[in-house]
Amino acid sequence: MRDRSNSGKKNSFIWKIAIVVLLLVMIVFAAVACARKAKEDAAQDTFEQLAEQTSKVPLETDEPSSEDAQQTEEPSEATEEPADILAELGVPIPEKEVDFEDLQENVNKDIYAWIYIPDTKIDYPILQHPTDNVYYLNHNLDGSSGYPGCIYSEDYNVKDFSDPVTVLYGHNMKNGTMFAGLHRFTDSEYLKEHPYVYIYTPDGMLVYQIFAVHSHSNEHLLYSKDYTEEIVMESYIGAIERERSMMSVENEAVEVGADSHILTLSTCISNRPNNRLLVQGVLLNGE
């Protein structure tokens, strides 16, 4: 009887130890999850503060002197300003201004552009790391690792958006931030209400009109492809057209040709790790 009693006490003690260990593990996991959530919230707060700083900033309009006015008379098509081109197309111009010098000096030197889609959460700086193409997939503005990361491009693209095809990447965050909002463009009515993507650079503003929203494989769109070759660009546009039957949304009224400049916004699709959602726009102004 005494052996059985001792055995029972030993088993009881082991179970108590196991429960304590389990509780400690749960506490550690909870603490890690809370810390990760706090870091994600802090990163998003930073993005929102930066976006607020760029919003509703009146554009500077210095009145030209009479001498300047004489020198700028008789404008030609060759010197037509991008803003004039957009006005002719009926494209609204947001009241937004980005101070890249301040962003690069005080936030992150890898910031080189800004993406903005009015009335959406997509209002973020764009970064490109000088040596690691996937660095900003899992690093934040302050260099800390983890989500939400940043909106970024790879060094397959130059940073002035002059490439025939430019690809920007961002996470599909569960809280609807970063590029999660791209999934809303699978609704044709939503696309009609948000047809333009605005890209701000130190040299000015570029506007793209969305012409296609569709899922695609996880194929790298830029690796080993030279879209400056007309035949390659034509083949790519043909591939987009062939996928029309699988497209979520398309705008056939937008013209896209071999001489077009295409902006592709890419994000993940939940539960489909081998696919990406692509939102593609064609440049309306600039060269």
Side-chain angles (χ1 to χ4, degrees), residues 37 40-41 44 121 124 148 172-178 180:
K37 180 66 166 57
E40 290 179 12
D41 290 344
Q44 184 57 35
K121 291 184 179 181
Y124 294 106
N172 175 22
M173 297 296 291
K174 292 181 180 180
N175 62 3
T177 59
M178 305 309 288

Side-chain angles (χ1 to χ4, degrees), residues 93-111:
I93 300 177
E95 291 186 345
K96 189 179 188 69
E97 191 171 87
V98 183
D99 186 342
F100 287 100
E101 183 176 350
D102 178 65
L103 289 172
Q104 291 169 351
E105 288 184 0
N106 300 314
V107 181
N108 189 308
K109 60 182 175 57
D110 292 337
I111 295 173

Side-chain angles (χ1 to χ4, degrees), residues 15 87 130 234 265 285:
W15 275 108
E234 288 178 345
L265 311 180
N285 64 327

Side-chain angles (χ1 to χ4, degrees), residues 109-121:
K109 60 182 175 57
D110 292 337
I111 295 173
Y112 73 93
W114 192 283
I115 182 170
Y116 175 54
I117 304 180
D119 301 319
T120 76
K121 291 184 179 181

